[in-house]
Amino acid sequence: MRVTVERSGQDEFDFGPAGPGRAALKPIVGFSVEDNGVGFTSSNMNSFETLDSDYKASMGCRGVGRLLWLKAFDKISICSAYKDDSSALHARQFRFSIDREVEHDEEPEGFTDTGAVVRLDGFKESYQRSAPKTVEAIAREIFEHCIWYFLRPGGAPEVSVVDEETVSLNKLMEEFIFSELPRTSIDVRGKKFDMVNLCLRSSTRNFTPRLYWCAASRVVTDENLTGKVPGLYGRLKDKSAVEFTYVCYLSSDYLDMHVRADRTDFDISERVAGTTLGEDISLEDIRSGVLEEVERILSDSLAAARDEGKARVNDFVSNHAPRYRPVLSRLESLGVTVDPSIKNPDLELLLHSNLQKLEAEAIAEGQAVFAEAGSAPLEDYQERLARYLDTVNDINQSDLAAYVSRRRVILDILSKLIRSSEHGKYSREDAIHSLLIPMRTDSNDLGTDASNLWIIDERLAFHDYLASDKTLKSMPITGSESTKEPDILSTKLIDTPVLTAEGETLPLPSIVVVEIKRPMRNDATEDKDPILQSLDYVKRVRAGGVLTASGRPIPASQESPAFCYIVADLTPTLVSRCEYANLRRTHDGLGYFGFNESAKAYIEVMSFDRLVNAATERNRAFFDKLGLPSS
């Protein structure tokens, strides 16, 4: 059999190069299919002119193929030679279209033996656009669709696809198959299903494991088996470490009986709800049986793939996502396996989704355990409670690991922000400001862990009210009329946060002001003295008439303890302002500190290097525990 690609005589529009060293291909307008079979005998011709003919049903023919031709082509012309009962050679020629159906033409000449030539003309644009363009791609599509003919007992005739070059489908078979596994069969509710198991070469285009559902001697539909069997991802390896891709061709008398006339699907339910009768088989039943058999016949290769996937997860968790280490064994017990070639972002999403499932299961288990308190047998109850608490402990450790890992990332980002760019420029102060806390927000807009003020002082991670780059007038807790903007201002009550304070006893609040300057900025003059600006903010807040969350005023007090932090590099002008404020230099020489008696405020000026170093040192023990770099 020979399939010839017919292309337009008119050049295709030039949309750019078709590929290195290749001219743009002309559009495909049709195909011709030529064989040396028995031809259109009288019986075959009568069948062709009969709608829904079952003349060749035993060969898998459904009598609708010629109708499918007209979905993709405008017209079909057929020229054929055949022998009658007396073995005399005859020929016939006819056309077939939607408008005119079958039209017979004059008897053709030139045939010396039986056979037929079918021309499919007028390739419709909608199909032409999505069809493969090269002869190699066309041959492969034909081969993959008709592969069952090549796999079944007796094989297939010699088939070639011709364009500017000729591609043999039989040779594709040799390139396609790496090795054959034993043919097996499964029993599903008393029905037999045969499995042809193949190992495809890793160089083939389709490297996903697939299940091909066959009926009427051809592939009807297929599905991806990736991940449906633990360890079955993409390519596997045999005992010699040679890569291959597994595919299965499934056939059965049951599938033959239930395939649709157009051979595009089956009249079988995906699943049968409720209690099923013995003869009720669903696609899910069949698939489950196939997957169990696949796991059996590929057991060695799958075990090796699962070991590689486990090593991949362990490496990722150790080097990139330590938060999953406390729950890793639990995720593995849930059957979580991965493709060894999975990318880091996809692996992170997979682990995170399964961690959420674990948390949901733990919540459900906890509700059940505590609901049964006092009613369940003591021994069983204690065992279930211990198991639940053990799971919760692992999840809590995972959350803590995630929190510590996040701190490591934040410090890495801050370290980059304080360095100069390749052009010698430094980040603007708003970039660093936004890293510490989002600008123009307050604690009513943020979550409890949205800010990173722990970098400056761990105590700043817990506050009752915090405003970032907002005017004092806009801060509901102060009631101040001032429109000047401190970078960050926080008020905090000892033991009792202001925004949640209740009752009549109100301890005095503390006030925290943070000023952030651009790295290496050398403009701390008397008019722009960040130390004096911070003390001025403290004075205004003390006089602002602070209210509790319930709207009760806190008595005015000039004794409120205050803390001022200035984050800036120690440029000459800033060093001068520190000395003017009578501050003492820190032991590492990277900052200044002191107490302003008149303002009753502690002042600390820290360079960006000191900021990063101090935060890293405070968290070093946690980083080391998780195996994270601490410098």
Side-chain angles (χ1 to χ4, degrees):
M1 177 182 291
R2 181 173 64 189
V3 179
T4 303
V5 181
E6 307 287 349
R7 297 188 181 273
S8 171
Q10 180 181 1
D11 290 342
E12 189 177 14
F13 290 113
D14 185 8
F15 292 110
R22 302 190 62 163
L25 294 171
K26 296 178 181 180
I28 298 172
V29 296
F31 299 87
S32 66
V33 182
E34 181 180 355
D35 68 27
N36 58 355
V38 298
F40 275 78
T41 63
S42 297
S43 298
N44 286 339
M45 191 68 222
N46 289 335
S47 175
F48 188 87
E49 293 182 306
T50 302
L51 188 64
D52 293 330
S53 171
D54 59 359
Y55 177 61
K56 294 185 178 180
S58 61
M59 301 172 62
C61 301
R62 298 285 173 165
V64 296
R66 63 197 185 285
L67 302 179
L68 296 178
W69 292 350
L70 296 177
K71 290 186 67 175
F73 300 91
D74 293 330
K75 61 180 180 179
I76 289 88
S77 59
I78 300 172
C79 189
S80 176
Y82 63 96
K83 290 181 180 180
D84 59 16
D85 294 338
S86 62
S87 296
L89 187 66
H90 299 276
R92 57 165 44 102
Q93 183 170 304
F94 58 95
R95 289 168 290 162
F96 181 51
S97 64
I98 293 178
D99 296 333
R100 299 179 178 274
E101 298 184 357
V102 177
E103 296 180 284
H104 290 272
D105 295 327
E106 295 182 3
E107 187 172 307
E109 298 179 354
F111 279 96
T112 59
D113 202 354
T114 60
V117 178
V118 179
R119 290 183 57 88
L120 309 173
D121 295 316
F123 198 14
K124 294 181 179 179
E125 186 178 354
S126 59
Y127 289 92
Q128 186 184 130
R129 283 197 304 267
S130 58
K133 303 296 187 294
T134 66
V135 65
E136 296 90 347
I138 294 170
R140 189 173 293 278
E141 289 283 350
I142 296 173
F143 172 76
E144 292 184 7
H145 180 72
C146 303
I147 191 173
W148 180 243
Y149 285 98
F150 295 85
L151 298 175
R152 64 183 182 175
E158 180 68 35
V159 182
S160 59
V161 181
V162 181
D163 195 3
E164 292 182 352
E165 56 183 299
T166 300
V167 178
S168 169
L169 266 60
N170 301 73
K171 289 184 178 180
L172 276 182
M173 182 70 176
E174 299 174 5
E175 299 174 6
F176 201 71
I177 306 300
F178 169 64
S179 67
E180 288 192 48
L181 295 167
R183 298 192 179 202
T184 59
S185 62
I186 58 174
D187 183 276
V188 181
R189 299 183 186 275
K191 304 295 183 182
K192 181 183 178 184
F193 294 83
D194 296 315
M195 296 171 57
V196 175
N197 307 291
L198 298 179
C199 300
L200 305 186
R201 297 184 185 277
S202 59
S203 59
T204 56
R205 182 194 61 175
N206 188 357
F207 57 86
T208 58
R210 304 195 78 80
L211 170 62
Y212 293 89
W213 300 72
C214 304
S217 298
R218 66 199 66 187
V219 173
V220 175
T221 184
D222 66 278
E223 63 180 275
N224 192 344
L225 294 183
T226 298
K228 295 182 179 179
V229 175
L232 188 58
Y233 297 96
R235 299 184 178 98
L236 295 173
K237 293 180 181 178
D238 66 4
K239 294 181 179 179
S240 302
V242 178
E243 288 188 337
F244 68 90
T245 301
Y246 170 80
V247 296
C248 171
Y249 289 85
L250 185 71
S251 61
S252 168
D253 291 340
Y254 186 83
L255 295 178
D256 290 342
M257 292 170 55
H258 290 83
V259 69
R260 294 179 183 174
D262 58 4
R263 289 191 291 266
T264 60
D265 211 338
F266 296 95
D267 292 321
I268 304 175
S269 300
E270 175 61 33
R271 59 178 56 84
V272 179
T275 304
T276 61
L277 300 177
E279 64 271 15
D280 291 333
I281 300 177
S282 68
L283 293 176
E284 189 177 67
D285 294 331
I286 302 170
R287 185 183 297 109
S288 296
V290 169
L291 295 179
E292 288 181 12
E293 182 67 7
V294 169
E295 189 164 10
R296 185 188 70 80
I297 63 179
L298 295 176
S299 57
D300 292 341
S301 296
L302 290 174
R306 287 193 289 266
D307 287 342
E308 285 189 38
K310 184 176 180 179
R312 172 74 175 90
V313 172
N314 287 331
D315 177 73
F316 175 75
V317 170
S318 297
N319 295 292
H320 302 283
R323 73 162 301 185
Y324 299 105
R325 185 178 297 159
V327 295
L328 198 54
S329 61
R330 296 186 182 277
L331 296 180
E332 291 173 357
S333 67
L334 293 177
V336 179
T337 60
V338 303
D339 182 353
S341 63
I342 190 172
K343 296 181 179 179
N344 283 356
D346 296 329
L347 181 52
E348 173 79 23
L349 290 174
L350 177 65
L351 293 174
H352 181 70
S353 64
N354 281 280
L355 176 59
Q356 288 182 314
K357 292 178 184 178
L358 183 64
E359 291 175 337
E361 292 179 2
I363 292 173
E365 177 69 14
Q367 292 173 339
V369 166
F370 291 115
E372 296 175 8
S375 60
L378 182 60
E379 183 177 346
D380 293 344
Y381 181 77
Q382 287 181 330
E383 182 179 345
R384 291 183 60 193
L385 179 61
R387 186 168 60 247
Y388 163 71
L389 294 176
D390 189 42
T391 301
V392 170
N393 180 60
D394 287 346
I395 292 174
N396 289 339
Q397 287 187 40
S398 173
D399 292 338
L400 178 59
Y403 181 73
V404 174
S405 298
R406 178 179 177 274
R407 285 195 167 196
R408 174 67 272 174
V409 172
I410 294 299
L411 289 176
D412 287 342
I413 295 174
L414 180 59
S415 296
K416 293 178 181 178
L417 288 178
I418 65 176
R419 298 191 186 103
S420 62
S421 67
E422 58 183 5
H423 304 294
K425 294 184 178 181
Y426 291 90
S427 300
R428 292 174 56 88
E429 54 264 43
D430 54 3
I432 300 173
H433 189 296
S434 297
L435 182 67
L436 293 176
I437 188 168
M439 299 184 70
R440 298 195 177 278
T441 59
D442 59 43
S443 54
N444 298 320
D445 305 322
L446 299 173
T448 56
D449 59 349
S451 75
N452 295 306
L453 290 176
W454 54 267
I455 298 175
I456 298 173
D457 191 323
E458 291 293 343
R459 292 171 295 180
L460 299 185
F462 307 97
H463 60 274
D464 65 300
Y465 180 86
L466 186 145
S468 171
D469 204 33
K470 280 191 167 188
T471 62
L472 295 184
K473 185 177 181 179
S474 67
M475 300 179 192
I477 197 171
T478 65
S480 172
E481 294 298 316
S482 173
T483 58
K484 292 190 176 182
E485 300 182 349
D487 278 355
I488 298 172
L489 181 143
S490 174
T491 63
K492 182 175 181 296
L493 284 177
I494 301 172
D495 296 329
T496 308
V498 169
L499 293 183
T500 57
E502 296 181 0
E504 299 180 356
T505 302
L506 291 172
L508 294 177
S510 66
I511 303 169
V512 178
V513 175
V514 180
E515 277 285 337
I516 304 169
K517 298 303 178 184
R518 186 173 185 172
M520 298 307 295
R521 187 168 180 171
N522 190 28
D523 62 350
T525 61
E526 184 175 352
D527 294 335
K528 297 181 180 180
D529 186 343
I531 300 173
L532 292 179
Q533 288 176 341
S534 298
L535 294 175
D536 186 46
Y537 296 147
V538 169
K539 181 179 178 180
R540 291 189 178 127
V541 172
R542 280 174 173 158
V546 179
L547 304 177
T548 66
S550 60
R552 301 303 301 162
I554 296 175
S557 172
Q558 296 298 319
E559 304 298 325
S560 306
F563 303 86
C564 299
Y565 296 92
I566 293 89
V567 181
D569 281 319
L570 299 183
T571 58
T573 56
L574 183 57
V575 169
S576 176
R577 301 317 301 172
C578 291
E579 293 174 348
Y580 180 81
N582 200 28
L583 301 181
R584 299 179 61 181
R585 194 144 192 158
T586 58
H587 70 283
D588 56 11
L590 298 178
Y592 286 83
F593 69 97
F595 184 78
N596 188 296
E597 184 66 35
S598 61
K600 297 181 177 60
Y602 171 80
I603 304 169
E604 183 170 351
V605 179
M606 61 186 77
S607 69
F608 289 104
D609 290 322
R610 177 175 174 78
L611 181 69
V612 174
N613 293 345
T616 301
E617 285 301 316
R618 291 197 307 272
N619 290 272
R620 182 180 296 277
F622 299 109
F623 296 159
D624 291 345
K625 188 71 174 178
L626 290 178
L628 297 173
S630 57
S631 60

